[in-house]
Amino acid sequence: MENKVIIACDFKNRDELFTFLKPFAGLNPYLKVGMELFYAEGPEMVRELKKAGFKIFLDLKLCDIPNTVEKAMRNLAKLDVDITNVHASGGIKMMEAAKRGLEGSNTKLIAVTILTSLDDEALKNELDINKSVKEVVYDYAANAKKAGLDGIVCSPFEAGIAKDLGLISVTPGIRLAGDSKGDQKRVTTPKDAKELGSTYIVVGRSITASQDPVKEYLRCVKEFQND
């Protein structure tokens, strides 16, 4: 069975990451490498993780003019990560350019829709978007599909939109029951995310800040992947 629980490895550097991973020997969890860690350690660390057998979601959220994004993706394609992403707000042409940049690789390309730290109020009052989160996610997901992408990043509450469009959904905003929401607003448990139709879930602090990360990771896997 494919592992569909992705651990958000929001660590300062390589040493912190590999110290965290030691107890996971033999489990080889799916890892999300985001901006903090990638900017600290660069592509060599990603190559090292791939060589060690980890699946990688490289979460860099590219958003720029199409030509720049295409060239950046050509470089990322060499890392052979399993999933990477762009911001859907960059538009269809940018997403198409990103897809071209990955030609010849097996990397899945997904588009970030609305961050899980945002809600309807923030869209209206801060971003001047007079639509609900679900409406915007649908519009962005439809654009991602037109651009030929594999899926979207959204909260579990919008995972059904991706499913209806034939796209995969990678859903952050996951907390185990009783954990703090932190800086995220649209949050669910792994069990709820499964019921809402998420393809993959991304779990960070509920695992990485735990006294027993392996135990909490296996708890997430059981809740999300087991019947």
Side-chain angles (χ1 to χ4, degrees), residues 3 5-9 11 17-18 20-21 24 28-34 37 45-46 49-50 52-59 81-83 202-203 208 217:
N3 185 354
V5 174
I6 303 173
I7 301 177
C9 296
F11 299 105
L17 170 64
F18 280 86
F20 169 78
L21 289 175
F24 288 87
N28 276 35
Y30 211 130
L31 307 179
K32 180 181 82 71
V33 174
L37 190 52
M45 186 200 64
V46 176
L49 290 169
K50 286 293 296 181
F54 292 101
K55 284 193 168 186
I56 303 295
F57 166 30
L58 186 58
D59 179 27
V81 296
D82 299 274
I83 302 174
V202 179
V203 188
T208 58
Y217 166 71

PDB file of all heavy atoms in Angstrom, residues 3 5-9 11 17-18 20-21 24 28-34 37 45-46 49-50 52-59 81-83 202-203 208 217:
ATOM      1  N   ASN A   3       2.192   4.790   0.870  1.00  0.00           N
ATOM      2  CA  ASN A   3       2.110   5.623   2.060  1.00  0.00           C
ATOM      3  C   ASN A   3       1.538   6.986   1.676  1.00  0.00           C
ATOM      4  O   ASN A   3       2.099   7.689   0.845  1.00  0.00           O
ATOM      5  CB  ASN A   3       3.504   5.780   2.661  1.00  0.00           C
ATOM      6  CG  ASN A   3       3.468   6.538   3.970  1.00  0.00           C
ATOM      7  OD1 ASN A   3       2.438   7.048   4.385  1.00  0.00           O
ATOM      8  ND2 ASN A   3       4.605   6.618   4.628  1.00  0.00           N
ATOM      9  N   VAL A   5       0.497   9.349   4.136  1.00  0.00           N
ATOM     10  CA  VAL A   5       0.666  10.302   5.232  1.00  0.00           C
ATOM     11  C   VAL A   5       2.042  10.934   5.069  1.00  0.00           C
ATOM     12  O   VAL A   5       3.063  10.254   5.124  1.00  0.00           O
ATOM     13  CB  VAL A   5       0.548   9.620   6.605  1.00  0.00           C
ATOM     14  CG1 VAL A   5       0.870  10.618   7.721  1.00  0.00           C
ATOM     15  CG2 VAL A   5      -0.844   9.038   6.796  1.00  0.00           C
ATOM     16  N   ILE A   6       2.072  12.240   4.841  1.00  0.00           N
ATOM     17  CA  ILE A   6       3.314  12.963   4.575  1.00  0.00           C
ATOM     18  C   ILE A   6       3.687  13.776   5.811  1.00  0.00           C
ATOM     19  O   ILE A   6       2.872  14.558   6.312  1.00  0.00           O
ATOM     20  CB  ILE A   6       3.147  13.893   3.359  1.00  0.00           C
ATOM     21  CG1 ILE A   6       2.714  13.091   2.123  1.00  0.00           C
ATOM     22  CG2 ILE A   6       4.444  14.651   3.085  1.00  0.00           C
ATOM     23  CD1 ILE A   6       2.375  13.959   0.913  1.00  0.00           C
ATOM     24  N   ILE A   7       4.901  13.591   6.302  1.00  0.00           N
ATOM     25  CA  ILE A   7       5.363  14.350   7.468  1.00  0.00           C
ATOM     26  C   ILE A   7       5.977  15.671   7.011  1.00  0.00           C
ATOM     27  O   ILE A   7       6.890  15.692   6.185  1.00  0.00           O
ATOM     28  CB  ILE A   7       6.408  13.566   8.280  1.00  0.00           C
ATOM     29  CG1 ILE A   7       5.832  12.233   8.761  1.00  0.00           C
ATOM     30  CG2 ILE A   7       6.883  14.392   9.476  1.00  0.00           C
ATOM     31  CD1 ILE A   7       6.832  11.366   9.509  1.00  0.00           C
ATOM     32  N   ALA A   8       5.461  16.776   7.540  1.00  0.00           N
ATOM     33  CA  ALA A   8       6.003  18.095   7.227  1.00  0.00           C
ATOM     34  C   ALA A   8       7.288  18.317   8.020  1.00  0.00           C
ATOM     35  O   ALA A   8       7.260  18.540   9.228  1.00  0.00           O
ATOM     36  CB  ALA A   8       4.980  19.178   7.553  1.00  0.00           C
ATOM     37  N   CYS A   9       8.409  18.247   7.328  1.00  0.00           N
ATOM     38  CA  CYS A   9       9.721  18.344   7.988  1.00  0.00           C
ATOM     39  C   CYS A   9      10.186  19.799   8.033  1.00  0.00           C
ATOM     40  O   CYS A   9      11.101  20.217   7.308  1.00  0.00           O
ATOM     41  CB  CYS A   9      10.728  17.468   7.256  1.00  0.00           C
ATOM     42  SG  CYS A   9      10.314  15.712   7.320  1.00  0.00           S
ATOM     43  N   PHE A  11      12.146  21.731   9.676  1.00  0.00           N
ATOM     44  CA  PHE A  11      13.298  21.825  10.557  1.00  0.00           C
ATOM     45  C   PHE A  11      14.267  22.885  10.059  1.00  0.00           C
ATOM     46  O   PHE A  11      14.253  23.266   8.892  1.00  0.00           O
ATOM     47  CB  PHE A  11      14.002  20.475  10.655  1.00  0.00           C
ATOM     48  CG  PHE A  11      13.141  19.384  11.221  1.00  0.00           C
ATOM     49  CD1 PHE A  11      12.603  18.397  10.395  1.00  0.00           C
ATOM     50  CD2 PHE A  11      12.848  19.350  12.575  1.00  0.00           C
ATOM     51  CE1 PHE A  11      11.805  17.395  10.913  1.00  0.00           C
ATOM     52  CE2 PHE A  11      12.041  18.342  13.103  1.00  0.00           C
ATOM     53  CZ  PHE A  11      11.522  17.369  12.273  1.00  0.00           C
ATOM     54  N   LEU A  17      16.826  17.417  10.967  1.00  0.00           N
ATOM     55  CA  LEU A  17      16.005  16.470  10.206  1.00  0.00           C
ATOM     56  C   LEU A  17      16.462  15.038  10.438  1.00  0.00           C
ATOM     57  O   LEU A  17      15.653  14.161  10.756  1.00  0.00           O
ATOM     58  CB  LEU A  17      16.068  16.808   8.718  1.00  0.00           C
ATOM     59  CG  LEU A  17      15.438  15.758   7.785  1.00  0.00           C
ATOM     60  CD1 LEU A  17      13.948  15.628   8.036  1.00  0.00           C
ATOM     61  CD2 LEU A  17      15.710  16.110   6.325  1.00  0.00           C
ATOM     62  N   PHE A  18      17.757  14.781  10.278  1.00  0.00           N
ATOM     63  CA  PHE A  18      18.231  13.410  10.368  1.00  0.00           C
ATOM     64  C   PHE A  18      18.191  12.884  11.807  1.00  0.00           C
ATOM     65  O   PHE A  18      18.020  11.672  12.019  1.00  0.00           O
ATOM     66  CB  PHE A  18      19.624  13.276   9.742  1.00  0.00           C
ATOM     67  CG  PHE A  18      19.570  13.183   8.246  1.00  0.00           C
ATOM     68  CD1 PHE A  18      19.532  14.330   7.463  1.00  0.00           C
ATOM     69  CD2 PHE A  18      19.509  11.957   7.626  1.00  0.00           C
ATOM     70  CE1 PHE A  18      19.455  14.248   6.074  1.00  0.00           C
ATOM     71  CE2 PHE A  18      19.435  11.853   6.245  1.00  0.00           C
ATOM     72  CZ  PHE A  18      19.404  13.009   5.466  1.00  0.00           C
ATOM     73  N   PHE A  20      15.724  13.677  13.812  1.00  0.00           N
ATOM     74  CA  PHE A  20      14.305  13.328  13.895  1.00  0.00           C
ATOM     75  C   PHE A  20      14.017  11.994  13.215  1.00  0.00           C
ATOM     76  O   PHE A  20      13.214  11.188  13.702  1.00  0.00           O
ATOM     77  CB  PHE A  20      13.475  14.438  13.247  1.00  0.00           C
ATOM     78  CG  PHE A  20      12.030  14.077  13.035  1.00  0.00           C
ATOM     79  CD1 PHE A  20      11.123  14.108  14.088  1.00  0.00           C
ATOM     80  CD2 PHE A  20      11.572  13.712  11.770  1.00  0.00           C
ATOM     81  CE1 PHE A  20       9.791  13.764  13.897  1.00  0.00           C
ATOM     82  CE2 PHE A  20      10.244  13.372  11.564  1.00  0.00           C
ATOM     83  CZ  PHE A  20       9.350  13.397  12.637  1.00  0.00           C
ATOM     84  N   LEU A  21      14.681  11.725  12.094  1.00  0.00           N
ATOM     85  CA  LEU A  21      14.374  10.533  11.299  1.00  0.00           C
ATOM     86  C   LEU A  21      14.962   9.239  11.860  1.00  0.00           C
ATOM     87  O   LEU A  21      14.516   8.144  11.488  1.00  0.00           O
ATOM     88  CB  LEU A  21      14.871  10.720   9.860  1.00  0.00           C
ATOM     89  CG  LEU A  21      14.101  11.732   9.002  1.00  0.00           C
ATOM     90  CD1 LEU A  21      14.791  11.888   7.657  1.00  0.00           C
ATOM     91  CD2 LEU A  21      12.657  11.302   8.815  1.00  0.00           C
ATOM     92  N   PHE A  24      12.746   6.407  12.886  1.00  0.00           N
ATOM     93  CA  PHE A  24      11.857   5.922  11.829  1.00  0.00           C
ATOM     94  C   PHE A  24      12.530   4.887  10.942  1.00  0.00           C
ATOM     95  O   PHE A  24      11.986   4.521   9.900  1.00  0.00           O
ATOM     96  CB  PHE A  24      11.376   7.095  10.968  1.00  0.00           C
ATOM     97  CG  PHE A  24      10.389   7.990  11.640  1.00  0.00           C
ATOM     98  CD1 PHE A  24      10.821   9.051  12.431  1.00  0.00           C
ATOM     99  CD2 PHE A  24       9.019   7.784  11.488  1.00  0.00           C
ATOM    100  CE1 PHE A  24       9.910   9.892  13.054  1.00  0.00           C
ATOM    101  CE2 PHE A  24       8.104   8.618  12.109  1.00  0.00           C
ATOM    102  CZ  PHE A  24       8.540   9.678  12.893  1.00  0.00           C
ATOM    103  N   ASN A  28      10.519   4.467   6.570  1.00  0.00           N
ATOM    104  CA  ASN A  28      10.643   5.333   5.395  1.00  0.00           C
ATOM    105  C   ASN A  28       9.380   6.154   5.119  1.00  0.00           C
ATOM    106  O   ASN A  28       8.736   5.987   4.079  1.00  0.00           O
ATOM    107  CB  ASN A  28      11.005   4.505   4.151  1.00  0.00           C
ATOM    108  CG  ASN A  28      12.493   4.275   4.055  1.00  0.00           C
ATOM    109  OD1 ASN A  28      13.157   4.122   5.081  1.00  0.00           O
ATOM    110  ND2 ASN A  28      13.030   4.234   2.854  1.00  0.00           N
ATOM    111  N   PRO A  29       9.002   7.029   6.026  1.00  0.00           N
ATOM    112  CA  PRO A  29       7.804   7.835   5.797  1.00  0.00           C
ATOM    113  C   PRO A  29       7.984   8.796   4.627  1.00  0.00           C
ATOM    114  O   PRO A  29       9.107   9.132   4.246  1.00  0.00           O
ATOM    115  CB  PRO A  29       7.669   8.613   7.116  1.00  0.00           C
ATOM    116  CG  PRO A  29       9.054   8.670   7.672  1.00  0.00           C
ATOM    117  CD  PRO A  29       9.683   7.369   7.286  1.00  0.00           C
ATOM    118  N   TYR A  30       6.877   9.199   4.052  1.00  0.00           N
ATOM    119  CA  TYR A  30       6.831  10.220   3.006  1.00  0.00           C
ATOM    120  C   TYR A  30       7.147  11.554   3.679  1.00  0.00           C
ATOM    121  O   TYR A  30       6.583  11.883   4.712  1.00  0.00           O
ATOM    122  CB  TYR A  30       5.424  10.262   2.412  1.00  0.00           C
ATOM    123  CG  TYR A  30       5.307  10.650   0.958  1.00  0.00           C
ATOM    124  CD1 TYR A  30       4.570   9.864   0.081  1.00  0.00           C
ATOM    125  CD2 TYR A  30       5.895  11.811   0.469  1.00  0.00           C
ATOM    126  CE1 TYR A  30       4.416  10.214  -1.255  1.00  0.00           C
ATOM    127  CE2 TYR A  30       5.757  12.168  -0.862  1.00  0.00           C
ATOM    128  CZ  TYR A  30       5.005  11.368  -1.721  1.00  0.00           C
ATOM    129  OH  TYR A  30       4.856  11.726  -3.039  1.00  0.00           O
ATOM    130  N   LEU A  31       8.049  12.343   3.100  1.00  0.00           N
ATOM    131  CA  LEU A  31       8.498  13.576   3.736  1.00  0.00           C
ATOM    132  C   LEU A  31       8.158  14.799   2.895  1.00  0.00           C
ATOM    133  O   LEU A  31       8.299  14.772   1.667  1.00  0.00           O
ATOM    134  CB  LEU A  31      10.012  13.548   3.955  1.00  0.00           C
ATOM    135  CG  LEU A  31      10.590  12.346   4.696  1.00  0.00           C
ATOM    136  CD1 LEU A  31      12.110  12.487   4.793  1.00  0.00           C
ATOM    137  CD2 LEU A  31       9.976  12.192   6.076  1.00  0.00           C
ATOM    138  N   LYS A  32       7.738  15.864   3.557  1.00  0.00           N
ATOM    139  CA  LYS A  32       7.590  17.160   2.899  1.00  0.00           C
ATOM    140  C   LYS A  32       8.788  18.019   3.255  1.00  0.00           C
ATOM    141  O   LYS A  32       9.045  18.286   4.423  1.00  0.00           O
ATOM    142  CB  LYS A  32       6.317  17.879   3.333  1.00  0.00           C
ATOM    143  CG  LYS A  32       6.144  19.260   2.658  1.00  0.00           C
ATOM    144  CD  LYS A  32       4.898  19.968   3.108  1.00  0.00           C
ATOM    145  CE  LYS A  32       5.059  20.699   4.417  1.00  0.00           C
ATOM    146  NZ  LYS A  32       5.919  21.921   4.299  1.00  0.00           N
ATOM    147  N   VAL A  33       9.509  18.447   2.241  1.00  0.00           N
ATOM    148  CA  VAL A  33      10.610  19.388   2.414  1.00  0.00           C
ATOM    149  C   VAL A  33      10.121  20.741   1.920  1.00  0.00           C
ATOM    150  O   VAL A  33       9.818  20.904   0.731  1.00  0.00           O
ATOM    151  CB  VAL A  33      11.860  18.947   1.639  1.00  0.00           C
ATOM    152  CG1 VAL A  33      12.942  20.022   1.715  1.00  0.00           C
ATOM    153  CG2 VAL A  33      12.382  17.624   2.179  1.00  0.00           C
ATOM    154  N   GLY A  34      10.045  21.695   2.832  1.00  0.00           N
ATOM    155  CA  GLY A  34       9.536  23.011   2.487  1.00  0.00           C
ATOM    156  C   GLY A  34      10.633  24.040   2.347  1.00  0.00           C
ATOM    157  O   GLY A  34      11.828  23.732   2.320  1.00  0.00           O
ATOM    158  N   LEU A  37      13.719  24.393   5.136  1.00  0.00           N
ATOM    159  CA  LEU A  37      14.773  23.385   5.072  1.00  0.00           C
ATOM    160  C   LEU A  37      15.513  23.418   3.736  1.00  0.00           C
ATOM    161  O   LEU A  37      16.745  23.296   3.686  1.00  0.00           O
ATOM    162  CB  LEU A  37      14.166  22.000   5.314  1.00  0.00           C
ATOM    163  CG  LEU A  37      15.103  20.825   5.531  1.00  0.00           C
ATOM    164  CD1 LEU A  37      16.122  21.110   6.622  1.00  0.00           C
ATOM    165  CD2 LEU A  37      14.295  19.572   5.871  1.00  0.00           C
ATOM    166  N   MET A  45      20.687  17.887  -0.144  1.00  0.00           N
ATOM    167  CA  MET A  45      19.997  17.168   0.907  1.00  0.00           C
ATOM    168  C   MET A  45      18.812  16.372   0.350  1.00  0.00           C
ATOM    169  O   MET A  45      18.535  15.246   0.780  1.00  0.00           O
ATOM    170  CB  MET A  45      19.494  18.125   1.985  1.00  0.00           C
ATOM    171  CG  MET A  45      18.888  17.421   3.194  1.00  0.00           C
ATOM    172  SD  MET A  45      17.815  18.537   4.112  1.00  0.00           S
ATOM    173  CE  MET A  45      16.547  18.849   2.891  1.00  0.00           C
ATOM    174  N   VAL A  46      18.118  16.944  -0.640  1.00  0.00           N
ATOM    175  CA  VAL A  46      17.005  16.230  -1.276  1.00  0.00           C
ATOM    176  C   VAL A  46      17.524  14.981  -1.979  1.00  0.00           C
ATOM    177  O   VAL A  46      16.934  13.898  -1.882  1.00  0.00           O
ATOM    178  CB  VAL A  46      16.261  17.149  -2.259  1.00  0.00           C
ATOM    179  CG1 VAL A  46      15.173  16.374  -3.000  1.00  0.00           C
ATOM    180  CG2 VAL A  46      15.659  18.345  -1.526  1.00  0.00           C
ATOM    181  N   LEU A  49      18.152  12.325   0.617  1.00  0.00           N
ATOM    182  CA  LEU A  49      16.923  11.695   1.102  1.00  0.00           C
ATOM    183  C   LEU A  49      16.367  10.701   0.077  1.00  0.00           C
ATOM    184  O   LEU A  49      15.928   9.606   0.434  1.00  0.00           O
ATOM    185  CB  LEU A  49      15.870  12.755   1.415  1.00  0.00           C
ATOM    186  CG  LEU A  49      16.144  13.638   2.635  1.00  0.00           C
ATOM    187  CD1 LEU A  49      15.172  14.806   2.676  1.00  0.00           C
ATOM    188  CD2 LEU A  49      16.051  12.820   3.934  1.00  0.00           C
ATOM    189  N   LYS A  50      16.403  11.091  -1.192  1.00  0.00           N
ATOM    190  CA  LYS A  50      15.925  10.178  -2.240  1.00  0.00           C
ATOM    191  C   LYS A  50      16.796   8.927  -2.301  1.00  0.00           C
ATOM    192  O   LYS A  50      16.280   7.808  -2.449  1.00  0.00           O
ATOM    193  CB  LYS A  50      15.929  10.894  -3.589  1.00  0.00           C
ATOM    194  CG  LYS A  50      14.820  11.913  -3.771  1.00  0.00           C
ATOM    195  CD  LYS A  50      13.437  11.260  -3.815  1.00  0.00           C
ATOM    196  CE  LYS A  50      13.288  10.354  -5.019  1.00  0.00           C
ATOM    197  NZ  LYS A  50      11.933   9.727  -5.078  1.00  0.00           N
ATOM    198  N   ALA A  52      18.307   7.584   0.075  1.00  0.00           N
ATOM    199  CA  ALA A  52      18.007   6.770   1.258  1.00  0.00           C
ATOM    200  C   ALA A  52      16.649   6.084   1.160  1.00  0.00           C
ATOM    201  O   ALA A  52      16.288   5.317   2.056  1.00  0.00           O
ATOM    202  CB  ALA A  52      18.056   7.648   2.504  1.00  0.00           C
ATOM    203  N   GLY A  53      15.900   6.360   0.109  1.00  0.00           N
ATOM    204  CA  GLY A  53      14.642   5.650  -0.117  1.00  0.00           C
ATOM    205  C   GLY A  53      13.385   6.375   0.301  1.00  0.00           C
ATOM    206  O   GLY A  53      12.293   5.793   0.274  1.00  0.00           O
ATOM    207  N   PHE A  54      13.509   7.645   0.657  1.00  0.00           N
ATOM    208  CA  PHE A  54      12.320   8.405   1.060  1.00  0.00           C
ATOM    209  C   PHE A  54      11.602   8.978  -0.161  1.00  0.00           C
ATOM    210  O   PHE A  54      12.239   9.424  -1.113  1.00  0.00           O
ATOM    211  CB  PHE A  54      12.707   9.575   1.979  1.00  0.00           C
ATOM    212  CG  PHE A  54      13.224   9.146   3.313  1.00  0.00           C
ATOM    213  CD1 PHE A  54      14.592   9.137   3.564  1.00  0.00           C
ATOM    214  CD2 PHE A  54      12.363   8.760   4.324  1.00  0.00           C
ATOM    215  CE1 PHE A  54      15.078   8.751   4.801  1.00  0.00           C
ATOM    216  CE2 PHE A  54      12.840   8.369   5.563  1.00  0.00           C
ATOM    217  CZ  PHE A  54      14.205   8.360   5.799  1.00  0.00           C
ATOM    218  N   LYS A  55      10.279   8.987  -0.103  1.00  0.00           N
ATOM    219  CA  LYS A  55       9.498   9.751  -1.071  1.00  0.00           C
ATOM    220  C   LYS A  55       9.465  11.195  -0.591  1.00  0.00           C
ATOM    221  O   LYS A  55       9.379  11.455   0.609  1.00  0.00           O
ATOM    222  CB  LYS A  55       8.075   9.196  -1.203  1.00  0.00           C
ATOM    223  CG  LYS A  55       7.992   7.918  -2.000  1.00  0.00           C
ATOM    224  CD  LYS A  55       6.546   7.605  -2.373  1.00  0.00           C
ATOM    225  CE  LYS A  55       6.483   6.504  -3.406  1.00  0.00           C
ATOM    226  NZ  LYS A  55       5.086   6.285  -3.873  1.00  0.00           N
ATOM    227  N   ILE A  56       9.512  12.129  -1.548  1.00  0.00           N
ATOM    228  CA  ILE A  56       9.634  13.542  -1.201  1.00  0.00           C
ATOM    229  C   ILE A  56       8.560  14.374  -1.891  1.00  0.00           C
ATOM    230  O   ILE A  56       8.377  14.296  -3.118  1.00  0.00           O
ATOM    231  CB  ILE A  56      11.007  14.100  -1.611  1.00  0.00           C
ATOM    232  CG1 ILE A  56      12.150  13.314  -0.967  1.00  0.00           C
ATOM    233  CG2 ILE A  56      11.109  15.592  -1.253  1.00  0.00           C
ATOM    234  CD1 ILE A  56      12.210  13.414   0.532  1.00  0.00           C
ATOM    235  N   PHE A  57       7.873  15.178  -1.090  1.00  0.00           N
ATOM    236  CA  PHE A  57       7.033  16.261  -1.599  1.00  0.00           C
ATOM    237  C   PHE A  57       7.834  17.537  -1.388  1.00  0.00           C
ATOM    238  O   PHE A  57       8.017  17.979  -0.264  1.00  0.00           O
ATOM    239  CB  PHE A  57       5.701  16.284  -0.844  1.00  0.00           C
ATOM    240  CG  PHE A  57       4.878  17.539  -1.041  1.00  0.00           C
ATOM    241  CD1 PHE A  57       4.923  18.280  -2.211  1.00  0.00           C
ATOM    242  CD2 PHE A  57       4.018  17.973  -0.033  1.00  0.00           C
ATOM    243  CE1 PHE A  57       4.163  19.426  -2.383  1.00  0.00           C
ATOM    244  CE2 PHE A  57       3.242  19.119  -0.189  1.00  0.00           C
ATOM    245  CZ  PHE A  57       3.328  19.848  -1.365  1.00  0.00           C
ATOM    246  N   LEU A  58       8.323  18.130  -2.477  1.00  0.00           N
ATOM    247  CA  LEU A  58       9.115  19.356  -2.401  1.00  0.00           C
ATOM    248  C   LEU A  58       8.165  20.543  -2.506  1.00  0.00           C
ATOM    249  O   LEU A  58       7.660  20.868  -3.580  1.00  0.00           O
ATOM    250  CB  LEU A  58      10.159  19.379  -3.519  1.00  0.00           C
ATOM    251  CG  LEU A  58      11.156  20.546  -3.483  1.00  0.00           C
ATOM    252  CD1 LEU A  58      11.928  20.575  -2.171  1.00  0.00           C
ATOM    253  CD2 LEU A  58      12.104  20.462  -4.673  1.00  0.00           C
ATOM    254  N   ASP A  59       7.954  21.179  -1.376  1.00  0.00           N
ATOM    255  CA  ASP A  59       6.906  22.190  -1.224  1.00  0.00           C
ATOM    256  C   ASP A  59       7.506  23.600  -1.299  1.00  0.00           C
ATOM    257  O   ASP A  59       7.742  24.232  -0.281  1.00  0.00           O
ATOM    258  CB  ASP A  59       6.207  21.959   0.122  1.00  0.00           C
ATOM    259  CG  ASP A  59       5.105  22.957   0.410  1.00  0.00           C
ATOM    260  OD1 ASP A  59       4.522  23.494  -0.550  1.00  0.00           O
ATOM    261  OD2 ASP A  59       4.826  23.196   1.603  1.00  0.00           O
ATOM    262  N   VAL A  81      12.039  14.335  -7.401  1.00  0.00           N
ATOM    263  CA  VAL A  81      11.125  14.251  -6.264  1.00  0.00           C
ATOM    264  C   VAL A  81       9.794  13.685  -6.745  1.00  0.00           C
ATOM    265  O   VAL A  81       9.501  13.648  -7.938  1.00  0.00           O
ATOM    266  CB  VAL A  81      10.915  15.625  -5.590  1.00  0.00           C
ATOM    267  CG1 VAL A  81      12.219  16.123  -4.999  1.00  0.00           C
ATOM    268  CG2 VAL A  81      10.311  16.642  -6.546  1.00  0.00           C
ATOM    269  N   ASP A  82       8.982  13.246  -5.812  1.00  0.00           N
ATOM    270  CA  ASP A  82       7.730  12.586  -6.169  1.00  0.00           C
ATOM    271  C   ASP A  82       6.604  13.577  -6.453  1.00  0.00           C
ATOM    272  O   ASP A  82       5.777  13.343  -7.334  1.00  0.00           O
ATOM    273  CB  ASP A  82       7.339  11.625  -5.042  1.00  0.00           C
ATOM    274  CG  ASP A  82       8.402  10.567  -4.842  1.00  0.00           C
ATOM    275  OD1 ASP A  82       8.355   9.545  -5.546  1.00  0.00           O
ATOM    276  OD2 ASP A  82       9.313  10.779  -4.016  1.00  0.00           O
ATOM    277  N   ILE A  83       6.582  14.665  -5.689  1.00  0.00           N
ATOM    278  CA  ILE A  83       5.590  15.721  -5.891  1.00  0.00           C
ATOM    279  C   ILE A  83       6.267  17.067  -5.692  1.00  0.00           C
ATOM    280  O   ILE A  83       7.112  17.215  -4.802  1.00  0.00           O
ATOM    281  CB  ILE A  83       4.422  15.618  -4.881  1.00  0.00           C
ATOM    282  CG1 ILE A  83       3.711  14.268  -4.964  1.00  0.00           C
ATOM    283  CG2 ILE A  83       3.398  16.739  -5.110  1.00  0.00           C
ATOM    284  CD1 ILE A  83       2.639  14.076  -3.880  1.00  0.00           C
ATOM    285  N   VAL A 202      -0.908  15.977   4.995  1.00  0.00           N
ATOM    286  CA  VAL A 202       0.387  16.479   5.462  1.00  0.00           C
ATOM    287  C   VAL A 202       0.256  16.804   6.940  1.00  0.00           C
ATOM    288  O   VAL A 202      -0.578  17.626   7.323  1.00  0.00           O
ATOM    289  CB  VAL A 202       0.815  17.736   4.685  1.00  0.00           C
ATOM    290  CG1 VAL A 202       2.150  18.249   5.214  1.00  0.00           C
ATOM    291  CG2 VAL A 202       0.908  17.440   3.195  1.00  0.00           C
ATOM    292  N   VAL A 203       1.060  16.153   7.751  1.00  0.00           N
ATOM    293  CA  VAL A 203       0.987  16.317   9.207  1.00  0.00           C
ATOM    294  C   VAL A 203       2.328  16.834   9.702  1.00  0.00           C
ATOM    295  O   VAL A 203       3.373  16.228   9.433  1.00  0.00           O
ATOM    296  CB  VAL A 203       0.643  14.991   9.906  1.00  0.00           C
ATOM    297  CG1 VAL A 203       0.381  15.238  11.397  1.00  0.00           C
ATOM    298  CG2 VAL A 203      -0.555  14.315   9.245  1.00  0.00           C
ATOM    299  N   THR A 208       5.932  16.009  14.645  1.00  0.00           N
ATOM    300  CA  THR A 208       7.300  16.492  14.873  1.00  0.00           C
ATOM    301  C   THR A 208       7.512  17.100  16.251  1.00  0.00           C
ATOM    302  O   THR A 208       8.636  17.108  16.765  1.00  0.00           O
ATOM    303  CB  THR A 208       7.705  17.518  13.803  1.00  0.00           C
ATOM    304  OG1 THR A 208       6.781  18.616  13.825  1.00  0.00           O
ATOM    305  CG2 THR A 208       7.691  16.883  12.417  1.00  0.00           C
ATOM    306  N   TYR A 217       2.992   9.215  14.400  1.00  0.00           N
ATOM    307  CA  TYR A 217       2.969   8.960  12.954  1.00  0.00           C
ATOM    308  C   TYR A 217       2.136   7.714  12.649  1.00  0.00           C
ATOM    309  O   TYR A 217       1.254   7.738  11.766  1.00  0.00           O
ATOM    310  CB  TYR A 217       4.393   8.789  12.432  1.00  0.00           C
ATOM    311  CG  TYR A 217       4.471   8.212  11.043  1.00  0.00           C
ATOM    312  CD1 TYR A 217       4.085   8.953   9.929  1.00  0.00           C
ATOM    313  CD2 TYR A 217       4.934   6.907  10.837  1.00  0.00           C
ATOM    314  CE1 TYR A 217       4.154   8.425   8.650  1.00  0.00           C
ATOM    315  CE2 TYR A 217       5.013   6.376   9.563  1.00  0.00           C
ATOM    316  CZ  TYR A 217       4.616   7.135   8.475  1.00  0.00           C
ATOM    317  OH  TYR A 217       4.680   6.599   7.213  1.00  0.00           O
TER     318      TYR A 217
END
